[in-house]
């Protein structure tokens, strides 16, 4: 499907296009905020249907292993972790944080296997700007020599303030397109304070493809925030300039800044299973009074995400009847781009080549 101007209505992308709901591998996925992982702790997360044990060792380094014991599959997260080794709760096999088995209590010296014969599956894990990411490879246990960079928030990257998350009972695509949709604000987030239907007005926004080094995605170029983003102005003390980028598999980064202050939002969708998606939203700001602001912002952020969740759930329920649907120009163009880039990512993986971003700079117009 292309995005030519003449093509003003198309059927919505779905499974017939081959990527609907598929989970893209060979990518970093948001796992949890750093603050949720104390030193000497290890927790279970299911990422793309895979059980992952994510821990922070005594030296503060974060690691990730398959959360299933190589012996009989028991969840290692149900066992003990002393900051150095994980002990399976069933027969006490022990594993170092790089997955190497260090003890098999039931084996005599003459028997095989010995600990040196056994490794737990390891994942690449990275901690950056207050978040823990896990790289999900194509083949379980394979960590490529060259990993793509972890998504990075600009300007206030070390001013982590808070994280909220909400689980959407749908596949990753419906969560992503539900959140990126530019035309739902006045309806889904309707508020007598800052968003009313009569605040809808025509917008023209310039977009460009992301540079290759930042992954497969696009950017809404830096511009002065529109007048129905009043909250920004109040928060940042002036008319902020804002820029939003989106990159596969599911990361949206927003930066708004005035000459005084900055705000950044990172939204990342992580598929738990094929039809459950965790939506993480992380906020950064350098406005003074962080603690008091957090108390105000947390319920607002939660409420916004929950409004999005309910909107997406209503769509999922409707889609359950398999109705014909459509995508319009230009309000739905980013949804088309998402599917188009996702198809390109899969094609590149299948063909063993670097993905090529097919997008070109363009100005889109819509009313919101
Ligand atoms: S199942 Fe883990 S040690 Fe046996
Ligand atoms: Fe929304």
């Amino acid at each position: 499907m292309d995005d030519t101007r003449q093509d003003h209505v198309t059927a919505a992308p779905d499974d017939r296009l081959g990527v609907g709901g598929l989970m893209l591998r060979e990518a970093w996925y948001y796992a949890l905020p750093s603050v949720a992982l104390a030193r000497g702790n290890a927790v279970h997360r299911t990422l793309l249907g895979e059980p992952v044990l994510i821990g922070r060792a005594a030296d503060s380094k974060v690691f990730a292993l398959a959360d299933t014991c190589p012996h009989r599959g028991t969840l290692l997260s149900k066992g003990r972790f002393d900051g150095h080794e994980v002990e399976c709760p069933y027969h006490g096999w022990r594993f170092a944080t790089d997955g190497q088995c260090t003890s098999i209590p039931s084996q005599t010296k003459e028997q095989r296997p010995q600990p040196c014969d056994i490794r737990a599956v390891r994942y690449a894990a990275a901690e950056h700007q207050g978040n823990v990411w896990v790289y999900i490879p194509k083949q379980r246990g394979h960590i490529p020599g060259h990993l793509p960079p972890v998504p990075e928030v600009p300007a206030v990257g070390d001013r982590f303030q808070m994280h909220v998350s909400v689980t959407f009972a749908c596949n990753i695509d419906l969560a992503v397109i539900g959140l990126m949709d530019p035309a739902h604000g006045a309806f889904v987030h309707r508020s007598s304070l800052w968003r009313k239907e009569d605040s809808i007005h025509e917008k023209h926004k310039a977009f460009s493809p992301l540079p290759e080094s930042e992954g497969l995605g696009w950017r809404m170029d830096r511009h002065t925030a529109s007048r129905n983003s009043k909250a920004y102005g109040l928060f940042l003390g002036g008319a902020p300039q804002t820029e939003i980028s989106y990159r596969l598999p599911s990361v949206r980064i927003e930066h708004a800044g005035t000459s005084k202050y900055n705000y950044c939002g990172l939204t990342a969708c992580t598929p738990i299973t094929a039809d459950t998606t965790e939506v993480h939203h992380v906020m950064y700001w350098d406005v003074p009074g962080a603690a008091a602001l957090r108390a105000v912002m947390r319920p607002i952020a939660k409420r916004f995400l929950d409004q999005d969740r309910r909107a997406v759930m209503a769509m999922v329920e409707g889609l359950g009847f398999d109705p014909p649907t459509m995508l319009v120009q230009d309000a739905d163009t980013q949804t088309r781009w998402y599917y188009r880039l996702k198809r390109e990512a899969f094609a590149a993986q299948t063909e063993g080549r670097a993905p090529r971003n097919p997008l070109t700079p363009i100005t889109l117009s819509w009313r919101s």
Side-chain angles (χ1 to χ4, degrees):
M1 187 194 312
D2 70 30
D3 331 293
T4 54
R5 290 291 170 165
Q6 303 87 297
D7 174 24
H8 59 278
V9 174
T10 55
D14 57 20
D15 288 336
R16 276 161 284 183
L17 289 167
V19 293
L22 287 186
M23 300 182 286
L24 190 64
R25 290 168 170 276
E26 301 187 5
W28 289 103
Y29 281 94
Y30 190 97
L32 74 177
S34 298
V35 289
L37 200 58
R39 211 186 296 178
N41 258 22
V43 298
H44 170 92
R45 286 288 183 279
T46 304
L47 308 175
L48 285 75
E50 297 183 14
V52 185
L53 178 80
I54 304 167
R56 185 187 296 285
D59 63 1
S60 275
K61 287 214 180 84
V62 163
F63 67 92
L65 301 175
D67 194 14
T68 44
C69 179
H71 181 211
R72 302 264 294 277
T74 301
L75 288 182
L76 295 172
S77 55
K78 302 278 187 196
R80 290 193 300 198
F81 176 53
D82 61 7
H84 303 277
E85 291 182 346
V86 182
E87 185 184 280
C88 178
Y90 203 178
H91 312 98
W93 292 25
R94 293 176 70 88
F95 302 90
T97 57
D98 66 355
Q100 180 61 55
C101 183
T102 57
S103 168
I104 303 182
S106 65
Q107 295 292 80
T108 67
K109 286 239 164 1
E110 300 72 40
Q111 290 173 326
R112 294 323 268 190
Q114 289 294 310
C116 61
D117 302 320
I118 302 291
R119 283 195 88 88
V121 166
R122 191 165 77 90
Y123 289 85
E127 186 167 30
H128 191 52
Q129 298 180 318
N131 308 301
V132 176
W133 301 79
V134 172
Y135 183 83
I136 303 294
K138 201 161 187 178
Q139 272 169 353
R140 202 162 176 262
H142 173 73
I143 300 184
H146 177 75
L147 290 166
V150 169
E152 170 150 327
V153 171
V156 281
D158 52 350
R159 310 277 185 109
F160 177 99
Q161 298 293 349
M162 50 178 272
H163 160 269
V164 291
S165 66
V166 170
T167 303
F168 285 25
C170 64
N171 71 41
I172 182 164
D173 296 340
L174 297 176
V176 166
I177 65 175
L179 291 163
M180 74 167 49
D181 181 289
H184 70 278
F187 305 95
V188 172
H189 306 297
R190 200 189 312 244
S191 155
S192 53
L193 280 178
W194 66 80
R195 263 296 166 87
K196 296 188 205 149
E197 248 170 88
D198 61 10
S199 71
I200 291 182
H201 62 283
E202 195 165 316
K203 293 174 182 170
H204 307 278
K205 303 272 164 85
F207 288 82
S208 35
L210 280 188
E212 214 172 280
S213 59
E214 292 178 38
L216 214 43
W218 66 88
R219 162 175 301 143
M220 183 193 287
D221 297 341
R222 190 161 290 280
H223 61 282
T224 303
S226 80
R227 58 185 151 87
N228 51 15
S229 306
K230 264 187 250 152
Y232 267 164
L234 288 175
F235 186 58
L236 299 169
Q241 292 280 305
T242 174
E243 179 184 288
I244 298 171
S245 69
Y246 180 81
R247 76 206 61 201
L248 289 186
S250 55
V251 178
R252 177 187 187 274
I253 293 173
E254 176 165 13
H255 172 233
T258 58
S259 55
K260 281 196 206 141
Y261 302 121
N262 293 278
Y263 163 83
C264 278
L266 177 137
T267 311
C269 299
T270 300
I272 307 302
T273 63
D275 31 54
T276 319
T277 302
E278 187 118 68
V279 177
H280 298 274
H281 187 63
V282 185
M283 299 167 88
Y284 301 80
W285 63 74
D286 53 11
V287 181
L293 272 173
R294 273 200 291 270
V296 178
M297 298 292 271
R298 186 176 295 281
I300 295 177
K302 261 281 206 240
R303 187 185 145 100
F304 257 73
L305 275 189
D306 204 56
Q307 289 170 334
D308 286 316
R309 186 189 60 78
R310 275 184 277 138
V312 171
M313 286 305 102
M315 176 173 66
V316 168
E317 218 177 305
L319 290 175
F321 295 96
D322 201 22
T325 62
M326 67 184 77
L327 293 173
V328 299
Q329 293 280 20
D330 291 344
D332 289 334
T333 292
Q334 291 180 82
T335 293
R336 294 165 190 239
W337 287 350
Y338 168 72
Y339 281 101
R340 193 167 167 191
L341 294 190
K342 193 169 170 181
R343 285 198 302 279
E344 166 60 13
F346 274 111
Q349 286 183 7
T350 310
E351 294 158 22
R353 58 170 172 84
R356 290 183 287 264
N357 194 327
L359 305 182
T360 50
I362 190 171
T363 295
L364 300 179
S365 307
W366 68 82
R367 289 169 46 79
S368 69

